[in-house]
Amino acid sequence: MNVLLSTIILIVGLWSYLLYTSNRRYFNRITEGLQAFDCEALVTVAIPARNEELHIQECVQSLLKQKHRNLEILVLDDNSTDATASLVLAMQQKDSRIRLISGKPLEEGWRGKLFAMQQLYEASKGSYILFSDADTRHTPDSISYGLALLDSQKGAMISGYPKQIARNLSIEVLVSVMLFNPALFVPFRFQAALQWPLFSMAIGQYLLIKRETLASLGGFELIKGQICDDVALARLCAKRGHRQLFAPMQRALQCEMFTSFSQGWKSLERSINGVVKQGLLGFLLILLIVFVLLLLSFAPILGVVYGVLACSDQAFLYPFLGSTVGCLLLFTTWKRCATYFGFSSQAGRFGPVTILLVVLMYLNGLVLRLSGKGFIWKGRIIS
C-alpha cells in the first residue's frame, strides 16, 4: 500500500510538471508578439448586475477608457434591491454608450445569471459580445487584446483568468483553486486543437464571443438550467463545432471575486459542483479523484513520515523517495503556476491547503445537493 500511495504521488507530480510546462509554452506562444487586430466592429459589453452598487461604477468607468472606441455598454439590473440601477442611470446620462436594462422577473427553468445574459444578448447590437462581471476592472487594452487573440487563433469564443485581487491571504488561497485547471487538469494546447467538451473551460469574468456564434447556438436557451454558466457555454461551443479558446487575461483585466472567505466558499462550492458531470459513472470517477486529491493534500506529511520510518526500515526508502520527488514536482509547479497567473508567492506555497479546499468544497456541496437544500447565491436558491 505504501508503495502504491507514493507511486500515485510521484505520477501526479510528474504529470503536473509536464502539463503546466506544456500549458505555459502554449500560452506564451499565443500571447507573445500578438499583433494588433485592426477591427472597427461594434462590440457590446454585457454586464449582468444584481446588487452590485459597490462595484458597478468602477467597472463601467474602466470600460469607457477602452482603446477600442466602437462599443456599447449594456448593464442589466437583475432585480437589485440596492442602488445599482440608479448609479448606472446616472452614468448613462453622461455617456450615450451606456444603457441600463431593467431585468424581467426570473422565468421558470432558467438560472438567474443565464436569464440575465439571455436578455443582454437579445438587447445587444454588436458583432462581438463581451460578457463580464460587475466586480471586474478592465485595462484600456481589454477588448482589443481579446479581439486580437480571437483573430490570430481563428476562434469563435475566448475566455481566461484575470488577475485576481484578494483582501487577505486566506481569500487568495481559496481563489487559487482555479489553478487546478492549468496545473492538474486541462491540456490547453491539445484542447485548442481537438476541442474536447470535457476540457472546455471558461470564466464569467471575461467571455468574448462572436454574435453569429451565439446566434447559431440559440443564445443561452440550451444551457438555461446549468449551474456553471461559463463552462456550460464553452462546452456547448465545442460540441457544436465553434472553436472556443482559453488564454491568460491578466493584462486585460483584474477582479476582486470575493470580499470574505465565506462568500468565496459559497460561490466556489457551487461552481465546483456545477461543473462536475452527474450520473453513476461520473460519480464513481469523482470519488476516485477525491481520494487522489486527499492523498496529494497530505502528501508532504506522508513524505516526512516515510522519511522517519526509512531511517530504521529500508522498506520505506522507495515510499520516501517517491513521495518526496512527487511533492517537489507538484508543489513547485503549483507555485510557478500561481506566480504566472498573478497570485502572490505566499499563496503559491499553500498548494496542499488549496487542494484540500477543493475536496472539502465539493463534499460540502454534494451534501447540500443530496439533502435538497441547494446553494444560496445572491438571494436565490440554486438546487
Side-chain angles (χ1 to χ4, degrees):
M1 178 60 73
N2 292 318
V3 171
L4 175 62
L5 295 180
S6 59
T7 300
I8 292 173
I9 295 170
L10 179 60
I11 291 173
V12 174
L14 182 60
W15 161 256
S16 178
Y17 173 80
L18 294 174
L19 177 68
Y20 174 68
T21 300
S22 172
N23 285 338
R24 176 71 178 270
R25 288 175 179 171
Y26 167 70
F27 290 148
N28 289 343
R29 178 174 63 80
I30 66 173
T31 58
E32 290 180 356
L34 186 66
Q35 298 296 317
F37 178 41
D38 187 15
C39 175
E40 297 181 359
L42 176 64
V43 175
T44 298
V45 182
I47 307 170
R50 181 173 171 85
N51 295 331
E52 294 287 359
E53 65 179 4
L54 298 179
H55 302 110
I56 194 63
Q57 284 182 298
E58 288 187 58
C59 176
V60 172
Q61 287 168 1
S62 71
L63 288 162
L64 291 173
K65 299 175 184 177
Q66 292 300 299
K67 291 180 180 178
H68 184 94
R69 303 301 297 173
N70 191 16
L71 76 160
E72 61 172 357
I73 302 171
L74 306 185
V75 180
L76 184 132
D77 175 36
D78 187 10
N79 301 284
S80 298
T81 57
D82 64 2
T84 298
S86 60
L87 291 171
V88 176
L89 188 60
M91 289 186 287
Q92 175 181 294
Q93 293 170 349
K94 296 178 181 178
D95 196 310
S96 61
R97 292 175 295 173
I98 303 170
R99 181 151 54 103
L100 174 67
I101 300 172
S102 296
K104 302 174 185 176
L106 183 61
E107 294 182 3
E108 187 176 352
W110 283 87
R111 301 292 183 189
K113 186 177 180 181
L114 279 164
F115 188 51
M117 293 169 76
Q118 177 70 15
Q119 293 174 76
L120 284 163
Y121 158 62
E122 292 172 353
S124 67
K125 300 176 182 177
S127 300
Y128 297 85
I129 306 174
L130 172 59
F131 292 95
S132 189
D133 290 341
D135 54 8
T136 57
R137 308 290 180 271
H138 294 254
T139 67
D141 292 315
S142 179
I143 292 175
S144 55
Y145 174 67
L147 290 173
L149 279 170
L150 267 187
D151 176 65
S152 66
Q153 299 304 310
K154 305 295 187 263
M157 168 188 159
I158 192 163
S159 185
Y161 293 148
K163 176 175 174 53
Q164 301 294 337
I165 306 299
R167 299 191 178 191
N168 56 54
L169 182 59
S170 65
I171 298 175
E172 189 177 16
V173 170
L174 182 68
V175 173
S176 69
V177 300
M178 63 176 56
L179 300 178
F180 178 86
N181 286 320
L184 278 171
F185 183 52
V186 183
F188 286 107
R189 179 197 301 269
F190 298 104
Q191 168 59 18
L194 300 175
Q195 294 292 297
W196 295 314
L198 175 64
F199 292 115
S200 298
M201 284 295 145
I203 186 166
Q205 295 154 5
Y206 195 102
L207 278 172
L208 179 61
I209 187 169
K210 291 181 177 179
R211 181 183 191 83
E212 61 187 22
T213 298
L214 195 52
S216 71
L217 298 175
F220 297 93
E221 178 75 29
L222 294 176
I223 57 172
K224 64 182 182 180
Q226 296 293 318
I227 294 177
C228 202
D229 49 89
D230 40 20
V231 176
L233 180 60
R235 288 175 174 174
L236 183 60
C237 282
K239 288 178 182 177
R240 294 299 180 91
H242 301 287
R243 193 163 192 250
Q244 63 84 32
L245 302 164
F246 195 92
M249 288 291 172
Q250 302 95 294
R251 63 185 277 187
L253 72 164
Q254 67 182 35
C255 178
E256 184 181 18
M257 291 178 72
F258 314 115
T259 57
S260 69
F261 187 90
S262 61
Q263 182 193 29
W265 177 282
K266 291 175 182 178
S267 176
L268 290 171
E269 72 174 354
R270 171 182 58 87
S271 296
I272 290 170
N273 278 268
V275 82
V276 171
K277 288 185 173 293
Q278 305 301 315
L280 179 60
L281 183 60
F283 179 70
L284 294 176
L285 179 61
I286 290 300
L287 285 183
L288 176 61
I289 293 173
V290 165
F291 167 75
V292 173
L293 293 180
L294 279 174
L295 175 63
L296 296 177
S297 63
F298 290 102
I301 298 174
L302 196 60
V304 172
V305 172
Y306 284 147
V308 172
L309 294 174
C311 293
S312 56
D313 187 347
Q314 287 192 345
F316 288 97
L317 183 59
Y318 172 78
F320 166 65
L321 293 174
S323 59
T324 300
V325 172
C327 280
L328 287 173
L329 285 170
L330 173 58
F331 294 117
T332 55
T333 297
W334 188 277
K335 187 173 182 296
R336 287 169 55 214
C337 187
T339 302
Y340 178 74
F341 282 102
F343 290 90
S344 69
S345 58
Q346 279 184 303
R349 297 189 188 103
F350 281 83
V353 176
T354 306
I355 292 174
L356 180 60
L357 287 173
V358 173
V359 174
L360 295 178
M361 284 189 286
Y362 169 72
L363 292 176
N364 190 64
L366 180 63
V367 171
L368 291 175
R369 277 209 334 261
L370 294 178
S371 67
K373 294 180 179 179
F375 310 99
I376 297 177
W377 184 244
K378 292 196 174 184
R380 287 181 173 137
I381 298 176
I382 302 174
S383 58

